[in-house]
């Protein structure tokens, strides 16, 4: 038995047998064609383009993907149709007398290299899309249409060196439930598709090819990112039971739909949900949540090369507002920069992107982009209860600048008699320590606050949220972080403005009792954690409030850890994976 940790791409447990999949390397013809062969090579290129486009269309029709996720695949169609790429390939065939395969391979290799040298995750994501299209095109040119030549049985776990989005959707179509991949990251398009399609997967597994042989029995534990190779009987039995218990637990939790999220001692805790793509509405409509506490709009950019225009954004925001009505939809303006998706051509690579032109700073520095988004949100506000939230606010002045921008847009809409909600609430994310420290002043200007613990932790402890090397410094329950949360709670209470926590801490079972004990009354959680969060809320009681009332900035970390791991454990223990 061997245990290896990787990066979990989605929760869940799957047990099955390994099957290594080596994707066929399409043949690239070298040498020169003859002048008279040019038309034949160009028509070969054109028919391959049509074949790939046909494949993509078919995939989109049959994959059952939600629209936003399907965009990842339809973005590949855009790459295929890119006239500049076509011209480059055709010119190489005509002028350099290259075979179509070589012309395609060189053209895409240059584009991919360009993205990869930028060393920014967003560009790496784009590179993967181009690599996928190149592979499809080269396969079509070599007469290989389906990259998955081998039949995978539903009890098998395919193992890849690298995976591309089209392959993830193909796996789901074939009824595969889990996969492993040696490379990859949580935020790649393939990983997002993996979650959207409900596959269990682990990426970033060192020496995967050596550690796992064909037919090895594998346990993929998506809760912890643990891969167990050839488990002993005891471990296998444990995981079989755990998978079964998880199935039961999910069924049971669904029954909580009709109960309220009230603590055992009668305190109402509003439970909202976070969404990344509008199609998650389908999932959250079954949750009976209090509204959407965070819609991360930057994901609208996913799978495309430009930002959506006002009409497109308006359509998305309006649909959310209408479907959630009368519940609130908190639309966070683009949080671009940092590790987030960056619109090509707008941003120059920065030395320290997390401390750079990110979030509201980016929006204010690109008024055209911000204007388009704010107008779209304001127009949508006429169709439901929409709230606007600004990311990466540092202080009151920062917030006022953003607020004025919105007010100018409101004036303009009024002049053109375009409807919007004049009472629309404007709020700030509290995710930079300065915003928490200045929260009393800030609360006078804001209609609401939402604490983004993901960034608040990284900025408070100077520990990059995505860097494994400093993961041990990224301590979400650090007293310094709790102190900032407490400070924000006091400020929000003083000025009677709603305050929620929308960072991952709110979805983490271990931290929910702690946050409630500190005084948080609104949580915005990931849809997958919703029912578990509700069950924990219902368990919280007077004893919990007593146990947490003493926490302050000078509480030692070890004491906080003892509190979470021992004293508060009964509140979350059976929810923990
Ligand atoms: C946060 O920082 O906690 C947050 C919710 O925003 P994001 O994770 O999108 O940066
Ligand atoms: Mg954030």
């Amino acid at each position: 038995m061997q245990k290896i940790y990787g990066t979990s791409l989605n929760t869940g447990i799957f047990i099955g047998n390994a099957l290594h999949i080596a994707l066929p390397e399409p043949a690239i013809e070298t040498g020169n064609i003859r002048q008279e062969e040019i038309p034949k090579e160009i028509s070969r290129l054109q028919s391959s383009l049509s074949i790939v486009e046909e494949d993509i269309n078919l995939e989109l029709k049959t994959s059952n993907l939600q629209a936003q996720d399907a965009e990842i695949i339809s973005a590949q169609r855009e790459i295929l149709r890119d006239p500049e790429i076509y011209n480059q390939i055709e010119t190489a065939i005509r002028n350099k007398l290259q075979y179509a395969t070589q012309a395609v391979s060189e053209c895409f290799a240059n584009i991919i290299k360009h993205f990869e040298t930028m060393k920014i995750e967003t560009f790496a994501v784009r590179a993967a899309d181009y690599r996928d299209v190149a592979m499809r095109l080269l396969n079509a040119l070599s007469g290989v249409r389906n990259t998955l030549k081998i039949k995978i049985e539903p009890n098998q776990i395919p193992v890849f060196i690298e995976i591309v989005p089209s392959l993830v959707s193909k796996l789901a179509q074939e009824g595969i439930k889990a996969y492993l991949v040696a490379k990859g990251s949580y935020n790649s398009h393939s990983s997002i598709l993996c979650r959207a399609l409900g596959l269990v997967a682990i990426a970033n597994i060192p020496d995967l090819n050596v550690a796992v042989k064909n037919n090895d029995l594998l346990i993929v534990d998506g809760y912890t990112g643990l891969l167990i190779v050839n488990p002993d009987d005891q471990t296998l039995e444990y995981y079989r039971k755990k998978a079964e218990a998880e199935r039961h637990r999910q069924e049971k939790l669904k029954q909580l739909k009709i109960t309220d999220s009230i603590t055992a001692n009668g305190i109402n805790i509003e439970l909202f949900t976070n969404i990344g793509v509008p199609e998650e509405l389908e999932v959250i409509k079954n949750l009976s949540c209090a509204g959407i506490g965070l819609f991360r709009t930057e994901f609208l950019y996913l799978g495309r090369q430009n930002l959506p225009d006002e009409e497109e954004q308006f359509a998305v925001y309006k649909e959310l507002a209408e479907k959630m009505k009368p519940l609130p939809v908190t639309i966070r303006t683009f949080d671009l920069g940092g590790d987030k998706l960056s619109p090509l051509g707008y941003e120059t690579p920065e030395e320290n992107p997390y401390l750079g032109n990110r979030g509201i700073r980016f929006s204010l520095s690109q008024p055209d982009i911000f204007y388009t988004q704010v107008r779209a949100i304001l127009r949508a506000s006429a169709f439901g209860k929409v709230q606007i939230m600004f990311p990466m606010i540092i202080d009151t002045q920062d917030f006022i600048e953003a607020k004025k921008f919105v007010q100018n847009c409101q004036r303009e809409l009024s002049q053109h008699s375009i409807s919007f909600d004049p009472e629309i609430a404007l709020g700030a994310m509290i995710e930079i320590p300065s915003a928490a420290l200045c929260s009393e002043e800030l609360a006078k200007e804001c209609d609401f606050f939402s604490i983004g613990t993901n960034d608040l932790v990284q900025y408070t402890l100077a520990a990059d949220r995505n860097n494994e090397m400093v993961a041990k410094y990224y301590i979400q329950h650090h007293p310094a972080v709790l102190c900032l949360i407490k400070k924000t709670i006091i400020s929000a209470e003083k000025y009677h403005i709603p305050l929620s926590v929308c960072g991952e801490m709110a979805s983490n079972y271990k931290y929910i009792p702690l946050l409630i004990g500190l005084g948080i009354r609104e949580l915005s959680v990931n849809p997958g954690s919703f029912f578990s969060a509700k069950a924990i809320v219902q368990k919280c009681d007077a004893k919990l409030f007593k146990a947490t009332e003493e926490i302050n900035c000078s509480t030692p970390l070890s004491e906080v850890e003892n509190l979470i791991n021992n004293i508060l454990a009964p509140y979350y223990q059976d929810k923990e994976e």
Side-chain angles (χ1 to χ4, degrees):
M1 178 166 91
Q2 194 186 354
K3 290 182 172 185
I4 315 167
Y5 278 95
T7 304
S8 164
L9 303 183
N10 196 13
T11 54
I13 290 170
F14 192 76
I15 302 171
N17 292 95
L19 178 68
H20 280 276
I21 308 274
L23 298 179
E25 285 285 326
I28 297 177
E29 301 138 292
T30 50
N32 288 125
I33 54 168
R34 281 174 285 124
Q35 196 75 29
E36 58 272 28
E37 286 176 317
I38 294 175
K40 189 185 97 202
E41 220 44 34
I42 291 178
S43 100
R44 194 177 154 213
L45 169 70
Q46 287 167 343
S47 61
S48 301
L49 284 166
S50 313
I51 287 173
V52 178
E53 184 155 348
E54 239 175 66
D55 277 352
I56 291 181
N57 289 341
L58 188 73
E59 215 170 295
L60 285 168
K61 243 199 227 150
T62 55
S63 66
N64 252 344
L65 271 178
Q66 305 281 13
Q68 193 70 24
D69 301 313
E71 275 227 359
I72 295 173
I73 295 171
S74 50
Q76 296 195 353
R77 200 168 43 191
E78 299 308 308
I79 297 175
L80 262 191
R81 289 174 179 168
D82 187 334
E84 220 170 282
I85 293 182
Y86 179 82
N87 283 340
Q88 268 185 42
I89 300 172
E90 200 194 287
T91 309
I93 295 174
R94 279 188 196 287
N95 299 352
K96 294 196 203 162
L97 297 176
Q98 285 186 339
Y99 283 98
T101 47
Q102 188 169 11
V104 165
S105 162
E106 278 186 12
C107 168
F108 278 90
N110 284 337
I111 299 173
I112 292 163
K113 202 163 119 208
H114 174 69
F115 282 123
E116 284 178 343
T117 50
M118 298 201 178
K119 298 231 177 308
I120 293 180
E121 183 164 355
T122 313
F123 295 125
V125 169
R126 298 295 307 153
D129 287 341
Y130 280 86
R131 200 176 293 118
D132 197 1
V133 174
M135 194 54 85
R136 282 172 180 255
L137 206 45
L138 289 171
N139 280 332
L141 282 164
S142 331
V144 186
R145 272 190 84 161
N146 187 343
T147 45
L148 257 189
K149 291 257 96 181
I150 308 170
K151 171 91 187 110
I152 310 174
E153 300 299 328
N155 67 329
Q156 287 182 312
I157 300 174
V159 179
F160 302 93
I161 297 292
E162 232 175 323
I163 198 160
V164 288
S166 58
L167 201 48
V168 177
S169 62
K170 192 151 259 146
L171 291 180
Q173 273 171 39
E174 310 246 324
I176 308 304
K177 300 278 183 268
Y179 68 87
L180 300 173
V181 55
K183 298 183 186 167
S185 73
Y186 187 82
N187 292 316
S188 71
H189 287 173
S190 344
S191 308
I192 290 166
L193 277 183
C194 160
R195 290 189 284 280
L197 295 166
L199 294 158
V200 182
I202 302 180
N204 223 349
I205 307 172
D207 296 328
L208 181 61
N209 255 2
V210 182
V212 173
K213 310 257 173 313
N214 271 342
N215 277 327
D216 276 350
L217 184 62
L218 305 177
I219 297 172
V220 183
D221 181 352
Y223 291 103
T224 57
L226 174 65
L227 167 68
I228 304 176
V229 186
N230 294 324
D232 56 31
D233 289 349
Q234 204 184 344
T235 310
L236 186 61
E237 189 52 24
Y238 170 81
Y239 272 97
R240 281 203 172 122
K241 281 196 179 133
K242 196 166 162 142
E244 193 49 35
E246 176 56 20
R247 256 191 301 280
H248 273 113
R249 196 170 74 79
Q250 288 300 340
E251 282 310 308
K252 230 173 97 197
L253 282 174
K254 284 189 190 140
Q255 294 161 10
L256 285 178
K257 189 179 167 189
I258 43 165
T259 60
D260 290 327
S261 54
I262 298 180
T263 63
N265 57 333
I267 297 173
N268 195 33
I269 307 290
E270 301 260 36
L271 281 183
F272 296 83
T273 50
N274 293 346
I275 63 169
V277 291
E279 285 68 27
E280 278 179 276
L281 264 186
E282 282 308 302
V283 182
I284 68 166
K285 77 172 185 223
N286 299 318
L287 302 180
S288 67
C289 64
I292 294 173
L294 168 66
F295 172 39
R296 291 179 161 101
T297 54
E298 55 279 1
F299 280 92
L300 289 178
Y301 164 69
L302 196 74
R304 38 191 303 157
Q305 296 168 72
N306 50 12
L307 286 163
D309 64 18
E310 182 181 321
E311 287 317 309
E312 217 179 311
Q313 289 189 56
F314 168 63
V316 171
Y317 305 149
K318 174 173 176 268
E319 189 187 350
L320 284 179
E322 283 177 334
K323 290 205 170 144
M324 292 303 292
K325 198 173 167 183
L327 302 174
V329 177
T330 309
I331 301 180
R332 182 177 73 181
T333 59
F334 289 131
D335 183 10
L336 297 161
D339 71 329
K340 296 288 176 56
L341 309 155
S342 329
L344 297 183
Y346 290 114
E347 273 186 86
T348 35
E350 296 173 286
E351 281 271 325
N352 288 304
Y354 277 120
L355 305 180
N357 196 18
R358 201 198 139 175
I360 192 66
R361 305 165 183 190
F362 174 80
S363 294
L364 289 168
S365 71
Q366 298 286 344
D368 291 352
I369 296 178
F370 198 28
Y371 174 80
T372 304
Q373 183 173 37
V374 171
R375 268 182 66 104
I377 303 176
L378 286 173
R379 284 172 55 201
S381 70
F383 297 87
K385 188 165 169 14
V386 171
Q387 319 198 115
I388 301 182
M389 179 157 77
F390 304 118
M392 302 291 291
I393 290 290
I394 62 161
D395 60 12
T396 316
Q397 204 176 321
D398 213 16
F399 182 81
I400 290 176
E401 207 184 330
K403 187 170 172 170
K404 279 194 180 143
F405 194 99
V406 174
Q407 287 167 341
N408 285 338
C409 292
Q410 286 176 322
R411 254 191 300 280
E412 201 189 88
L413 289 178
S414 302
Q415 280 159 8
H416 291 91
S417 310
I418 300 172
S419 319
F420 63 92
D421 172 11
E423 303 286 300
I424 189 165
L426 304 182
M429 283 205 69
I430 305 295
E431 52 184 348
I432 296 181
S434 62
L437 292 167
C438 300
S439 57
E440 193 173 331
E441 197 55 27
L442 189 54
K444 294 181 195 161
E445 288 292 332
C446 294
D447 297 317
F448 65 93
F449 280 162
S450 189
I451 303 179
T453 52
N454 307 340
D455 279 312
L456 187 63
V457 173
Q458 81 161 341
Y459 291 126
T460 305
L461 303 169
D464 183 341
R465 62 195 262 189
N466 293 327
N467 185 347
E468 282 297 313
M469 299 268 288
V470 294
K472 70 170 183 173
Y473 297 102
Y474 188 89
I475 306 164
Q476 301 181 68
H477 53 270
H478 195 283
V481 175
L482 302 187
C483 186
L484 293 172
I485 294 178
K486 191 76 203 172
K487 167 105 187 120
T488 310
I489 293 171
I490 294 168
S491 305
E493 275 171 2
K494 181 162 177 191
Y495 290 94
H496 310 288
I497 62 167
L499 162 69
S500 68
V501 174
C502 64
E504 287 301 304
M505 271 183 98
S507 297
N508 186 325
Y509 313 149
K510 265 191 160 181
Y511 293 134
I512 294 173
L514 176 72
L515 291 172
I516 292 175
L518 283 174
I520 292 293
R521 297 292 174 262
E522 292 183 10
L523 297 169
S524 191
V525 305
N526 299 328
S529 309
F530 188 85
F531 287 123
S532 298
K534 190 183 260 194
I536 294 170
V537 165
Q538 292 177 349
K539 270 193 162 185
C540 293
D541 55 11
K543 246 167 69 190
L544 165 91
F545 291 95
K546 188 98 200 98
T548 45
E549 72 185 1
E550 297 293 314
I551 297 179
N552 59 46
C553 299
S554 42
T555 311
L557 176 60
S558 56
E559 221 171 275
V560 178
E561 286 177 346
N562 177 46
L563 179 76
I564 296 171
N565 296 331
N566 298 312
I567 302 168
L568 300 186
Y571 297 100
Y572 62 77
Q573 214 150 40
D574 59 331
K575 309 294 170 304
E576 201 187 9
E577 278 311 326

